[in-house]
Amino acid sequence: MIYFLLSCSVIALMVITAEGQIQVFQKPRFYGVKTGRTVMIYCVASDPSLPARVEWLKADNYLDTQKTLKPNERTVMMEKTSKRNASITIKKVVIDDSGVYFCKLNETQGPGTELRVSRHGDPQAVMNRSRVKDVIIFLQGFLLILCIVVPLVQFFKLEKKEDADYEEPKDDHTYEGLEIEHCGDVYEEINAVAAQDADADADAVWEVESPDQE
């Protein structure tokens, strides 16, 4: 009887020790999907024959606070059996489903599986956005060129205008090209004036007051 009790104690101790040393693995370690897809994460124990209690937790990142997950219409949790690994299935994923999912078997937590959900993009819409960006870049470049060229053109025009305003006037020959008979009395008047000036100069030069004249 004593040996029987001792054997039972040893077996129970081995079970407890094995349960405490269980190792947990998760597959896959990373998921990157578009919205609307269905993902499945597996939780594998180092000893598949051992019974285990399964719990799933979620955090925004590996070091953030973890929250316990509960099954709902989109989240299905499968318990571990001797013939099947534990798993969690998330249907029609949305952006808010992104995060890190941890599997816990008998208080032993797995390394975690990261899930990143991105929006489903329409190729035609992406192409249209790309074309719009190209047009905006072209317009920006064109406006930049105008901002540089227009002031330069205005500057050169103003400089040429100032040069034209300060150009030296040419000699104005009033009587150039006129025949002598077309000049009328102009030359006669000039000759008369010249003669008067000559007489005046002659009188001024030769008229000397004598010392005797007082």
Side-chain angles (χ1 to χ4, degrees):
M1 185 66 180
I2 296 176
Y3 291 105
F4 177 75
L5 294 176
L6 182 61
S7 300
C8 292
S9 301
V10 171
I11 293 174
L13 181 62
M14 291 176 61
V15 171
I16 295 173
T17 303
E19 185 176 346
Q21 294 179 350
I22 189 173
Q23 294 182 352
V24 180
F25 307 94
Q26 292 185 219
K27 299 180 181 180
R29 295 296 305 278
F30 177 81
Y31 253 126
V33 297
K34 301 290 185 180
T35 55
R37 298 286 300 275
T38 298
V39 299
M40 182 178 292
I41 302 173
Y42 293 95
C43 183
V44 182
S46 57
D47 189 355
S49 62
L50 291 176
R53 298 180 305 276
V54 182
E55 185 179 6
W56 288 93
L57 304 97
K58 179 188 174 185
D60 293 335
N61 295 290
Y62 281 98
L63 300 180
D64 292 345
T65 303
Q66 301 174 2
K67 297 180 180 180
T68 303
L69 291 176
K70 299 296 182 181
N72 53 48
E73 58 182 6
R74 291 195 308 110
T75 305
V76 179
M77 301 178 184
M78 302 295 293
E79 294 291 336
K80 182 186 178 308
T81 64
S82 59
K83 298 180 179 180
R84 182 182 63 194
N85 295 315
S87 65
I88 181 173
T89 303
I90 307 174
K91 302 177 182 179
K92 297 180 180 180
V93 294
V94 296
I95 299 297
D96 293 339
D97 290 328
S98 297
V100 183
Y101 292 80
F102 297 93
C103 173
K104 182 184 288 188
L105 297 179
N106 295 340
E107 304 302 326
T108 301
Q109 185 170 296
T113 297
E114 183 177 3
L115 173 63
R116 292 302 169 191
V117 183
S118 59
R119 298 186 184 278
H120 181 72
D122 185 5
Q124 186 62 34
V126 174
M127 183 65 67
N128 293 336
R129 287 195 296 268
S130 178
R131 290 176 180 174
V132 171
K133 289 181 181 179
D134 292 340
V135 172
I136 293 175
I137 293 173
F138 174 78
L139 291 177
Q140 288 177 344
F142 181 73
L143 292 177
L144 181 61
I145 293 174
L146 285 180
C147 292
I148 297 174
V149 172
V150 171
L152 290 176
V153 172
Q154 294 294 333
F155 174 77
F156 285 119
K157 285 184 178 180
L158 182 62
E159 187 176 10
K160 288 182 179 180
K161 183 178 180 181
E162 291 178 352
D163 293 341
D165 293 340
Y166 289 101
E167 184 178 359
E168 294 183 0
K170 297 181 180 180
D171 295 335
D172 186 12
H173 301 286
T174 304
Y175 301 103
E176 184 176 2
L178 295 177
E179 299 292 339
I180 188 66
E181 57 270 13
H182 297 159
C183 295
D185 298 332
V186 175
Y187 284 100
E188 295 178 359
E189 294 176 357
I190 293 175
N191 292 333
V193 173
Q196 293 176 3
D197 292 340
D199 294 340
D201 292 339
D203 293 340
V205 173
W206 297 104
E207 184 178 354
V208 179
E209 184 179 358
S210 173
D212 298 333
Q213 296 178 358
E214 293 182 356

